[in-house]
Amino acid sequence: MKRDRRGAQLFDKLFRRANPGNLPVRGLGSGLTIQRYLTRLIWISVVPLILLAAYLGYNSVRNDQSQRDQLAANVAQNLATAIDNELTARIQGLQLLAASPLANDAARREAFYQEAQGYHASFGSHVILADMTQQMLLNTRVPWSTALPILPRPKGRAAVPVAIETGQPAVGDLVPGPVVNEPLVAIVVPGQRHGKTAFLLLTTLTASEFQQRLQRVALPDGWALTLRDSTGAVIAQHAPAGVSAADALSRGARFTAASTRSPWSVQVEIPPDLYRAPIVAATTALALLVLGASLSGLLGGGLAARRLGRAVAQLAQPGVADAPPADIAEIDAVRALLDDAARQRAGAEAESTRLLAQVTESRGALLLALEEQKQAHAALTKSQRLLAETEQMGKVGGWEFDVATGKQTWTPEVYKIHEVDPGFDPTVDEGVNFYAPACRATIEQAVRRAIEQGEPFDLELEIITAKGHVRIVHTIGQADAQQHRVHGFFQDITERKRAELEVRKLNAELEQRVAERTAQLTQANQELDTFAYSVSHDLKSPLRGIDGYSALLQEECAAQLSADGRLFVDNIRQGARQMTTLIDDLLAYSRMERRTLRSVPLPLRELVQAVLAEQSRQIDQQGAEVRIEMPALVVLADRDGVALVLRNLLENALKFSGNAKPPLVEIGARDEGDACTLWVRDNGIGFDMQFHDRIFDIFQRLQRAEDYPGTGIGLALVSKAVTRMGGRVWAQSAPGAGATLYVSLPKYVAPPAPGAASNGEQAKED
């Protein structure tokens, strides 16, 4: 009886839990059924798991997207860094080449051409030398002495004007190559002489070279890698098949890295469909997962609720068919309840198994993300290795120290320069102690100013390594006030300094040789002066005697001489006078070679009129017409030298136009910027231009002396005088069409009036 009473009490307790409030069933009353109650309970249990799965899926997609974006940004940045390193190496090579004394020596430009070929052998790119007017002087891409055009002027950023304006190396945009006939970019290094830019050194890289570099970059399928200049023009592009260099994946993802050494940028582009594909796939999978979980929970919960409701209803209503006998009704009810609980536990285990499978699937996605992160880490490690190799090749390292703690950090190359073990943990004082005693005060003062005043420093000092080797280093430092640290750059420049010392030694030897040569030349000039005096005295005396006795012979014995005898005497006197004139011209040529020239401002028109006044008698005798058309120009030259040039040019024009009716001589001039060009034109017999160079050589004549008397020295004297005054002379002519002789002399530029510069600067500020 006690056992039956305990069974009845247990049944009542379980029934109350299943049917709280003693709600009626099977149409006995209205209220919340067990089926609905269990359905809601299942939803409350399943929804958090669905939300967890949705969060894990979203987080996986977001991590995957973030890692892919980071990969694209790393690809762009690594390529930009590699291009910057290559540009820096080529610029440093050009700077070493610009330091050569041959660079701005026109007489030894061919030797400099050979040095530039060495740069081509080292870097694979050609070298161009240009003057400040951007005229190419040499190009290693073509043979020496080939005629070259001026440098092209691109629409975007031009490297040449930037280098001229800043005095610093510059990298330009894509331009069509005037020699190689393909697109290229220019690297320009200004050549400095006495603190000013004297010339330009350029090297070019064709777009195909960058195209080859981009083709070697491994990209995921469908990605595009593009190198653009400052105008957005494509220099090179590594794109999927079917995408041209002009196409842009504008609606996809784009990652840009700017070059620090040039105005270029590197872009990684991912097509929109490829970029959104993982998101679409993950979203679809997540939606299907939620839908499946919802349907599974709904169906499973409904079935379980119906079965439990039927069982409870049957147990709650006595007299139902198949009901257990009354004597064991409580035991059967308890067993039925236990069986139902077991079935519910089995259903929960099945649901747990399903959720565990979902968690396992999420774990697989997480492992895949970790693998991709590992690959990205490997790529980053590779980039760091390339950076370390670059530091090793350039003997460049970095350093920093904490201002508060004094703890110093070095990169591996700095350890190598100091010849210490990488395990060495230096402090600031230990780092300073590596400097030579004579340099320690300098570096200590520089570091102190950087900390206290934020003043950067750039020094070249000696250090003594841990192994006792003396090295010269280039150290640059600056303070970071926000981070409370000082950091900088450290480079071993020992080899470069040795090379500079060798160059200075060679320059000293060259100066010694020049001094010795100058002394020899001075002695030779003194000997030449002695010889000229001897020629003037010893040769002219016999000639005067010949001419004098011939004149006496004509006067005293003219009646006794035959016609042939008188002709012979005339020829003797004419020959003596010709010889005297030749000696005078030779002495004038010799004096022009040796005399000291004094360049002063000369009004060209006034000097021309003075020479015409001197030659007015000869002009009147020939009945020649002289026309002058020239502006008021002032040249910087020697007065006697210019007068000699004008006198010889006028005499030459009058001589060769003597047979014209009437003889006409035109004298003019024009301003050509840095120079003034004077010309003398006649309407005489002219000459063939194939003999142009001969007319300025000494003793070179194109006509017979019997037809046009002279010594053949006049135009040679003109050429010598103009050359010594820093100008040049040339001619234009044709047989029977007269001749025009041109003389170019430096133009005189008056210095600005006192206070003009300050006034101009004040006006600019206003």
Side-chain angles (χ1 to χ4, degrees):
M1 292 297 292
K2 291 181 179 180
R3 184 182 63 183
D4 294 339
R5 190 180 300 111
R6 285 195 299 270
Q9 291 174 353
L10 179 60
F11 176 83
D12 291 338
K13 186 177 181 180
L14 292 174
F15 185 80
R16 290 190 190 98
R17 290 182 179 179
N19 189 12
N22 295 321
L23 296 176
V25 296
R26 296 226 177 168
L28 298 178
S30 61
L32 185 65
T33 65
I34 293 177
Q35 179 178 352
R36 291 182 179 180
Y37 178 80
L38 293 177
T39 301
R40 293 183 180 181
L41 182 62
I42 291 173
W43 274 111
I44 293 173
S45 302
V46 172
V47 165
L49 298 177
I50 294 175
L51 294 177
L52 175 62
Y55 171 75
L56 293 176
Y58 167 76
N59 193 52
S60 175
V61 171
R62 187 179 62 180
N63 290 339
D64 179 65
Q65 196 72 19
S66 176
Q67 292 170 3
R68 183 168 49 180
D69 292 349
Q70 185 62 42
L71 175 60
N74 288 342
V75 169
Q77 186 60 50
N78 291 342
L79 180 58
T81 301
I83 291 175
D84 285 342
N85 292 338
E86 181 173 349
L87 293 176
T88 299
R90 293 175 184 269
I91 288 173
Q92 291 176 349
L94 284 178
Q95 288 175 333
L96 290 177
L97 192 60
S100 172
L102 304 178
N104 62 334
D105 190 342
R108 297 187 292 171
R109 191 162 291 151
E110 186 172 1
F112 182 72
Y113 178 85
Q114 299 301 323
E115 286 188 2
Q117 290 288 358
Y119 179 94
H120 171 59
S122 298
F123 292 95
S125 58
H126 290 278
V127 176
I128 299 172
L129 174 64
D131 59 20
M132 297 305 292
T133 65
Q134 303 185 25
Q135 172 64 46
M136 294 189 195
L137 302 178
L138 64 82
N139 188 338
T140 59
R141 191 181 296 276
V142 297
W144 169 250
S145 75
T146 301
L148 297 171
I150 64 173
L151 296 173
R153 302 179 187 274
K155 295 181 180 179
R157 172 188 168 98
V160 171
V162 173
I164 293 175
E165 180 180 356
T166 64
Q168 298 294 326
V171 180
D173 288 337
L174 192 68
V175 297
V179 176
V180 73
N181 293 324
E182 67 173 292
L184 50 81
V185 294
I187 302 174
V188 181
V189 171
Q192 300 288 331
R193 293 295 184 270
H194 306 295
K196 295 183 178 179
T197 301
F199 57 91
L200 301 172
L201 274 182
L202 299 87
T203 187
T204 59
L205 294 170
T206 61
S208 60
E209 296 181 51
F210 291 101
Q211 185 65 37
Q212 294 174 3
R213 174 179 287 275
L214 263 65
Q215 291 298 134
R216 292 195 296 268
V217 177
L219 294 175
D221 293 339
W223 288 23
L225 182 61
T226 308
L227 176 61
R228 300 179 183 272
D229 63 15
S230 65
T231 66
V234 176
I235 299 175
Q237 186 179 61
H238 180 186
V243 178
S244 67
D247 295 335
L249 307 176
S250 58
R251 291 178 294 178
R254 177 176 297 171
F255 304 87
T256 302
S259 169
T260 60
R261 211 68 175 85
S262 67
W264 308 341
S265 60
V266 177
Q267 294 180 348
V268 174
E269 298 171 290
I270 306 176
D273 54 348
L274 185 63
Y275 188 76
R276 293 194 296 266
I279 301 176
V280 174
T283 303
T284 303
L286 182 60
L288 293 176
L289 179 64
V290 172
L291 180 61
S294 301
L295 292 176
S296 176
L298 182 61
L299 293 177
L303 292 175
R306 280 198 302 271
R307 293 182 63 182
L308 182 59
R310 281 198 305 267
V312 172
Q314 290 175 358
L315 293 174
Q317 294 179 359
V320 177
D322 299 329
D327 56 338
I328 57 173
E330 293 83 1
I331 297 175
D332 290 339
V334 171
R335 182 178 294 111
L337 291 175
L338 293 175
D339 291 342
D340 186 61
R343 286 193 297 271
Q344 291 183 10
R345 184 181 64 182
E349 289 177 352
E351 184 68 14
S352 298
T353 302
R354 183 180 63 80
L355 293 176
L356 181 61
Q358 294 177 358
V359 172
T360 303
E361 181 180 356
S362 299
R363 179 175 175 272
L366 180 60
L367 291 175
L368 179 60
L370 291 175
E371 179 63 25
E372 293 179 352
Q373 184 177 6
K374 181 179 178 181
Q375 294 176 0
H377 179 71
L380 179 60
T381 302
K382 182 179 179 181
S383 299
Q384 292 174 344
R385 177 178 58 80
L386 291 175
L387 180 59
E389 292 174 354
T390 302
E391 289 183 352
Q392 183 178 5
M393 288 186 290
K395 295 183 178 181
V396 177
W399 58 268
E400 70 172 6
F401 70 83
D402 188 286
V403 175
T405 64
K407 180 176 176 57
Q408 190 164 208
T409 303
W410 290 353
T411 62
E413 188 61 26
V414 178
Y415 283 101
K416 186 175 180 181
I417 294 174
H418 285 83
E419 295 186 324
V420 295
D421 189 86
F424 177 65
D425 189 12
T427 63
V428 176
D429 292 337
E430 289 172 337
V432 170
N433 287 336
F434 278 102
Y435 287 89
C439 301
R440 289 175 188 170
T442 301
I443 189 65
E444 288 174 349
Q445 184 180 12
V447 172
R448 185 167 57 255
R449 287 183 177 178
I451 296 173
E452 297 175 355
Q453 304 175 15
E455 180 179 336
F457 59 85
D458 186 342
L459 303 171
E460 293 182 358
L461 303 172
E462 286 187 355
I463 66 169
I464 301 176
T465 69
K467 296 182 179 180
H469 298 135
V470 177
R471 291 182 176 173
I472 303 175
V473 296
H474 181 196
T475 180
I476 297 176
Q478 62 182 16
D480 186 347
Q482 295 181 350
Q483 300 294 330
H484 302 289
R485 67 189 183 109
V486 178
H487 62 101
F489 159 103
F490 200 81
Q491 182 181 20
D492 183 358
I493 59 172
T494 306
E495 296 299 327
R496 192 187 78 188
K497 286 298 182 180
R498 288 176 181 171
E500 292 176 358
L501 180 61
E502 186 66 23
V503 169
R504 286 196 293 270
K505 180 179 178 182
L506 292 175
N507 288 339
E509 293 178 356
L510 181 60
E511 290 177 358
Q512 178 63 27
R513 293 178 184 175
V514 170
E516 293 175 355
R517 181 59 179 165
T518 302
Q520 294 173 358
L521 186 60
T522 301
Q523 182 179 359
N525 286 336
Q526 292 174 352
E527 294 175 354
L528 188 59
D529 288 339
T530 303
F531 174 74
Y533 177 79
S534 176
V535 167
S536 176
H537 183 272
D538 296 344
L539 291 183
K540 280 189 173 182
S541 294
L543 289 174
R544 285 194 294 268
I546 293 172
D547 185 62
Y549 284 115
S550 299
L552 290 175
L553 185 61
Q554 282 182 329
E555 295 174 0
E556 301 294 336
C557 303
Q560 301 175 12
L561 294 175
S562 63
D564 291 339
R566 288 192 294 274
L567 177 61
F568 293 156
V569 173
D570 289 338
N571 289 340
I572 291 172
R573 296 195 67 189
Q574 179 63 27
R577 287 193 294 271
Q578 177 71 11
M579 187 64 181
T580 300
T581 303
L582 180 59
I583 291 173
D584 291 338
D585 289 347
L586 281 173
L587 290 176
Y589 187 85
S590 176
R591 284 193 295 271
M592 178 53 65
E593 179 71 30
R594 303 186 318 278
R595 71 187 293 266
T596 301
L597 300 181
R598 181 172 176 268
S599 295
V600 296
L602 298 176
L604 199 55
R605 185 181 182 89
E606 296 178 7
L607 197 57
V608 169
Q609 291 174 342
V611 172
L612 288 176
E614 293 177 5
Q615 304 294 324
S616 59
R617 181 176 181 182
Q618 182 180 356
I619 295 172
D620 295 339
Q621 288 178 351
Q622 290 189 215
E625 179 183 355
V626 179
R627 300 175 184 173
I628 303 176
E629 295 181 3
M630 64 171 60
L633 299 176
V634 180
V635 298
L636 188 64
D638 181 77
R639 175 177 292 275
D640 293 338
V642 176
L644 182 145
V645 169
L646 292 172
R647 193 178 301 113
N648 278 275
L649 292 179
L650 182 60
E651 291 176 353
N652 185 79
L654 292 172
K655 176 171 63 176
F656 289 104
S657 62
N659 295 329
K661 302 300 182 182
L664 174 63
V665 178
E666 299 179 26
I667 303 176
R670 61 174 177 263
D671 188 343
E672 295 188 344
D674 294 337
C676 297
T677 299
L678 169 76
W679 67 83
V680 177
R681 182 179 294 117
D682 63 63
N683 61 344
I685 61 174
F687 63 89
D688 194 329
M689 286 295 289
Q690 66 176 323
F691 304 113
H692 176 274
D693 294 337
R694 285 181 54 188
I695 65 174
F696 296 107
D697 292 338
I698 192 169
F699 299 134
Q700 296 295 321
R701 298 174 54 87
L702 302 183
Q703 281 78 30
R704 298 190 311 161
E706 294 82 354
D707 298 333
Y708 296 94
T711 61
I713 298 178
L715 291 183
L717 188 59
V718 169
S719 177
K720 177 63 66 177
V722 172
T723 302
R724 290 208 60 201
M725 289 185 291
R728 65 189 186 98
V729 60
W730 70 98
Q732 288 183 350
S733 181
T740 304
L741 279 82
Y742 296 90
V743 173
S744 177
L745 293 172
K747 178 183 174 182
Y748 172 72
V749 179
S758 60
N759 292 338
E761 293 175 358
Q762 182 64 35
K764 183 181 293 185
E765 293 176 0
D766 294 341

